[in-house]
Amino acid sequence: MQRIILFLFAALAAIAFAAPTPRKHHSSHIGTFSAQARGRKGTTRNPLKAMERAYRKYNWSITFVTPSGQTFTLGTPDGDGSDASSAPAPAPAAPAPVSSAAATSSAINQDAATLTRTTTAAPAATTSSAAGASEQENGEVSATPESNESEYLSPVSVGGQTLNLDFDTGSADLWVFSTSLSSSSIGQHAAFDPSKSPTWEDYPGASWQIMYGDGSGASGTVGLDIVEVGGATASRQAVEIATKVSSSFVSDENNDGLLGLGFSKINTIKPQPQKTFFESILPKLDQPVFTADLEDDAAGTYEFGRVDTTKYTGTLHVTPVDSSNGFWEFASTAYSIGGTTYQNSGASTAIADTGTSLLLVDDNVAQAFYAQVQGSQLSRTAGGYVYPCSAQVPDFGVQIGSSGFIATIPGSDITFAEVGQGTCFGGVQGNGGGGIQIFGDVLLKQYFAVFNGGNESFGIAAKSPQVNTKA
């Protein structure tokens, strides 16, 4: 009898050990949660870099003059996306002290920078191929401002490797620094290594290239991999591997790449544009939305799949967007200065762009605003409007589409940076006649923003006092 019991025990044990290990069960819904991110550098803002990023991104150029009389073009061409490790052109000196007298048209024109759009090319609409989402899920991720607050960076897992990427609603490419670059180009960047990803698939014949009006750019090959953002996962997501980058990208050591959250009409992959990360996971989200809750000089959050009503108070002001150009684009035909609203006849349309730090409005609007700031001028040496840091700056607002809502920045929050000798650089600047107004983080961090991919709309609301660090 004892032998029989021992035999049965041994048989059962053999069966148990021979059986495959059960796989962990993944529920069809993953609740929201956050991933922590940390900046890698100091906290000094660089207005020159902020202007350069914005103008280069939209293929505009800005030329100004140093105190010694030499001309300097923001974004001097640094190659066609070739692998480069040279340092960018040196920045011009800080602006000379400005007069304490009220700014006038003549004073502004005497020190006027030349602001010129160099190219205008709206991408043609194309059909995106599918890149599946794995499960129904929501996700939340931290967004940490870079040292100069030219961008907010968030941790993203690509094939199990973590990179700090710029979440950019003004573009539609997901591209990363890679080990295909030279060591000098990689520098301090985290570089993705496809050979170390067990889920990487090459995309034969596919390539990508981003080119800017100043000649800078990046390009490379394409593959498919698992991309995770704060618990929300897209399987077989198109990932663009940089094999060539120009020096302007190399010098931005905080940023390991970009995660575009615009519309895939402007994705640059050839022969066929691919879906963005948001478009890939859209069918599996509880709601077809993501939200941006950015903070001033502090980590904020992006959340996918729901609108957290505890993060805002009052009305969510919603306007339809026109996605035909690939952007979260809407009309903005009015602005306010010091609480008084003015119409902007012939206004350019506006886009909500988390990848741009400044608020770039039509030139006539910027000039009208700074005419109300004592001592302000459009400085050739700073590349934008400056004023004495002691000046009383009025509140400034812009209309958000058909909602009629004027989103307002308090005057105390207009200053983007001190540039020396008691002079400050404004976070509101002109668009140089670029034909589009860019509503960047100077505005967006004041509000709770909702991007709805289901009905293609953009919403904005006042932050709840308990989560607004300025309350």
Side-chain angles (χ1 to χ4, degrees):
M1 182 65 179
Q2 188 176 10
R3 289 182 178 179
I4 294 173
I5 293 173
L6 288 173
F7 174 78
L8 289 173
F9 177 80
L12 289 172
I15 293 171
F17 284 117
T21 303
R23 298 179 64 183
K24 284 187 176 181
H25 174 69
H26 293 277
S27 65
S28 60
H29 176 270
I30 299 176
T32 52
F33 55 92
S34 62
Q36 193 60 41
R38 294 190 300 271
R40 292 187 283 179
K41 282 195 173 181
T43 58
T44 302
R45 293 181 184 176
N46 185 333
L48 181 65
K49 183 173 181 180
M51 286 291 284
E52 181 181 15
R53 283 178 56 85
Y55 271 66
R56 178 162 51 87
K57 178 176 181 178
Y58 290 98
N59 289 334
W60 306 337
S61 68
I62 174 172
T63 302
F64 49 97
V65 181
T66 67
S68 63
Q70 294 179 318
T71 60
F72 180 89
T73 300
L74 254 181
T76 300
D78 61 358
D80 59 357
S82 61
D83 189 3
S85 57
S86 58
V98 295
S99 166
S100 59
T104 63
S105 257
S106 59
I108 289 174
N109 289 333
Q110 288 173 4
D111 196 31
T114 302
L115 308 173
T116 309
R117 184 168 185 160
T118 56
T119 61
T120 306
T126 51
T127 303
S128 300
S129 64
S134 57
E135 297 174 338
Q136 185 165 0
E137 51 195 25
N138 302 327
E140 181 181 78
V141 66
S142 290
T144 300
E146 193 188 20
S147 58
N148 55 29
E149 212 171 88
S150 287
E151 59 196 15
Y152 284 78
L153 304 177
S154 298
V156 176
S157 173
V158 180
Q161 302 171 46
T162 300
L163 308 166
N164 285 323
L165 304 185
D166 175 15
F167 280 30
D168 184 7
T169 58
S171 62
D173 288 87
L174 196 173
W175 74 266
V176 295
F177 273 72
S178 80
T179 51
S180 296
L181 294 165
S182 67
S183 58
S184 60
S185 289
I186 293 173
Q188 299 301 309
H189 297 277
F192 175 69
D193 186 348
S195 68
K196 293 183 179 179
S197 170
T199 50
W200 175 261
E201 302 175 47
D202 287 325
Y203 186 172
S207 63
W208 65 280
Q209 183 178 45
I210 295 174
M211 289 294 294
Y212 296 112
D214 63 359
S216 65
S219 61
T221 58
V222 184
L224 306 175
D225 211 334
I226 294 174
V227 175
E228 181 182 350
V229 177
T233 303
S235 61
R236 305 192 78 246
Q237 172 65 42
V239 178
E240 299 161 40
I241 301 300
T243 59
K244 295 180 180 180
V245 292
S246 54
S247 60
S248 54
F249 290 111
V250 175
S251 61
D252 187 4
E253 294 179 350
N254 288 348
N255 184 353
D256 304 324
L258 181 145
L259 190 148
L261 293 170
F263 295 88
S264 56
K265 296 178 180 70
I266 54 174
N267 178 266
T268 68
I269 294 176
K270 294 182 178 180
Q272 187 173 22
Q274 300 294 296
K275 287 187 176 183
T276 67
F277 171 79
F278 178 53
E279 290 170 335
S280 293
I281 65 172
L282 194 66
K284 301 297 183 180
L285 296 173
D286 282 354
Q287 297 176 269
V289 302
F290 68 90
T291 63
D293 183 14
L294 306 178
E295 297 290 345
D296 189 14
D297 292 321
T301 56
Y302 286 94
E303 187 168 10
F304 294 83
R306 71 163 181 161
V307 178
D308 187 347
T309 57
T310 68
K311 290 188 175 182
Y312 72 91
T313 184
T315 302
L316 179 64
H317 304 277
V318 178
T319 184
V321 298
D322 178 1
S323 66
S324 60
N325 292 321
F327 302 120
W328 299 87
E329 187 173 354
F330 47 86
S332 181
T333 58
Y335 62 95
S336 68
I337 301 174
T340 301
T341 299
Y342 304 89
Q343 295 301 308
N344 181 17
S345 59
S348 303
T349 56
I351 68 173
D353 182 6
T354 60
T356 296
S357 59
L358 301 171
L359 172 58
L360 303 179
V361 295
D362 288 331
D363 285 346
N364 62 300
V365 176
Q367 184 170 344
F369 173 68
Y370 284 104
Q372 303 299 316
V373 180
Q374 182 124 357
S376 66
Q377 61 177 304
L378 181 54
S379 170
R380 290 178 295 183
T381 52
Y385 284 96
V386 297
Y387 46 86
C389 296
S390 59
Q392 294 296 312
V393 181
D395 298 347
F396 178 75
V398 287
Q399 187 178 63
I400 304 298
S402 60
S403 71
F405 176 66
I406 301 289
T408 302
I409 307 170
S412 58
D413 288 345
I414 295 290
T415 295
F416 182 73
E418 293 188 24
V419 291
Q421 300 176 324
T423 301
C424 281
F425 185 90
V428 176
Q429 296 290 337
N431 64 0
I436 193 168
Q437 301 183 88
I438 313 299
F439 291 0
D441 298 334
V442 165
L443 174 70
L444 295 177
K445 67 188 179 185
Q446 299 288 333
Y447 290 91
F448 179 75
V450 178
F451 298 80
N452 191 319
N455 61 15
E456 295 193 353
S457 66
F458 171 72
I460 201 168
K463 293 186 179 185
S464 295
Q466 65 267 26
V467 296
N468 189 345
T469 57
K470 290 188 173 296

